[in-house]
């Protein structure tokens, strides 16, 4: 399972070791991290690149970040320090229907985010003593939110057709319906949902 983790770059000044512990805990739990941006870049280098490369780098950074959010099975954000950029990434993660975990240290409640009522959002208070336990719990909760079951009513004629087609193709009814949705999605790939 692929995980994208991000926290505010400005938080690195006081929380670099804490961020490293989160990266290490994610890997210890056996997940693949898509990027280790916070560990690989100093705050000074991060902002220097924006200053030196200008619009080109802003665009590159945005595209790479959005790509990671889309690729991830679960997105995790540490929100103890306020960040508009991180808030935007959380919103994009939820727009892409991704299970999204928000972590924050005791005493640093992200008040606005705690008020959000989204099915795919998991918010957990964390401290360095319970980091692994809380992260495990949050990821398990997020994994349970990944795929949703839904029921719907169809006419007896459609049900007969669905049963016959799934039997003829030797697949489940659910697989048949998913394949129809995926086919429709491929045909309409240029539309944004």
């Amino acid at each position: 399972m692929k995980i994208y983790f991000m926290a505010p770059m400005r938080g690195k000044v006081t929380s670099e070791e804490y961020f490293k512990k989160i990266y290490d805990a994610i890997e210890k739990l056996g997940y693949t991290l898509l990027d280790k941006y916070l560990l690989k870049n100093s705050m000074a280098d991060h902002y220097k690149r924006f200053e030196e490369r200008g619009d080109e780098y802003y665009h590159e950074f945005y595209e790479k970040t959005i790509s990671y959010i889309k690729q991830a099975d679960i997105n995790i954000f540490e929100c103890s320090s306020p960040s508009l950029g991180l808030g935007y990434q959380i919103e994009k993660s939820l727009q892409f229907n991704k299970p999204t975990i928000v972590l924050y240290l005791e005493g640093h409640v992200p008040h606005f985010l705690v008020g959000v009522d989204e099915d795919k959002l998991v918010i957990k208070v964390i401290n360095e003593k319970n980091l692994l336990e809380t992260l495990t719990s949050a990821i398990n909760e997020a994994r349970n939110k990944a795929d949703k079951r839904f029921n719907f009513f169809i006419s007896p004629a459609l049900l007969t057709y669905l049963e016959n087609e799934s039997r003829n193709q030797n697949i489940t009814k659910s697989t048949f319906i998913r394949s129809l949705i995926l086919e429709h999605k491929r045909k309409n790939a240029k539309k944004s949902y």
Side-chain angles (χ1 to χ4, degrees):
M1 180 173 284
K2 296 176 287 189
I3 290 180
Y4 170 67
F5 169 70
M6 185 53 81
M9 181 56 80
R10 291 182 209 270
K12 191 171 175 176
V13 174
T14 57
S15 303
E16 185 168 8
E17 278 305 307
Y18 166 58
F19 295 161
K20 184 174 180 345
K21 287 178 182 177
I22 293 173
Y23 280 117
D24 291 345
I26 292 168
E27 288 182 324
K28 184 177 184 177
L29 292 170
Y31 300 107
T32 302
L33 282 159
L34 291 176
D35 187 42
K36 292 185 179 181
Y37 189 84
L38 291 170
L39 296 182
K40 295 186 295 187
N41 296 279
S42 72
M43 190 171 82
D45 289 342
H46 171 75
Y47 289 110
K48 185 177 180 182
R49 266 194 298 281
F50 284 110
E51 189 178 301
E52 289 176 351
R53 294 182 52 202
D55 288 346
E56 173 195 350
Y57 190 68
Y58 282 103
H59 182 72
E60 181 183 314
F61 184 75
Y62 175 85
E63 291 299 323
K64 185 179 275 188
T65 300
I66 295 300
S67 173
Y68 288 139
I69 291 170
K70 285 180 177 178
Q71 289 175 53
D73 297 304
I74 296 174
N75 292 301
I76 302 176
F77 302 95
E78 206 297 330
C79 295
S80 296
S81 300
S83 167
L84 290 174
L86 213 56
Y88 182 81
Q89 290 179 50
I90 292 166
E91 176 63 23
K92 290 309 255 182
S93 179
L94 293 170
Q95 278 180 359
F96 298 139
N97 206 29
K98 298 288 184 168
T100 304
I101 298 171
V102 169
L103 304 172
Y104 67 93
L105 290 167
E106 293 173 308
H108 297 273
V109 179
H111 297 285
F112 188 78
L113 290 171
V114 172
V116 174
D117 185 22
E118 286 279 346
D119 184 49
K120 300 262 184 187
L121 184 62
V122 175
I123 300 177
K124 296 282 185 184
V125 63
I126 198 166
N127 64 49
E128 292 189 46
K129 292 176 186 165
N130 74 359
L131 192 144
L132 188 61
E133 179 184 314
T134 303
L135 198 54
T136 301
S137 168
I139 290 172
N140 286 337
E141 191 175 333
R143 286 174 63 182
N144 289 333
K145 294 175 181 263
D147 292 319
K148 287 293 180 187
R149 177 186 192 102
F150 74 97
N151 298 319
F152 62 100
F153 296 100
I154 59 174
S155 70
L158 286 176
L159 180 58
T160 300
Y161 178 80
L162 178 59
E163 288 172 342
N164 289 336
E165 283 301 308
S166 63
R167 194 176 314 111
N168 291 341
Q169 294 181 34
N170 199 26
I171 58 175
T172 66
K173 293 182 288 259
S174 297
T175 302
F176 181 77
I177 292 170
R178 271 194 299 274
S179 69
L180 293 175
I181 294 169
L182 289 170
E183 181 182 329
H184 185 271
K185 187 177 175 185
R186 275 191 295 279
K187 286 181 182 176
N188 296 290
K190 293 181 183 168
K191 294 180 184 177
S192 66
Y193 292 95

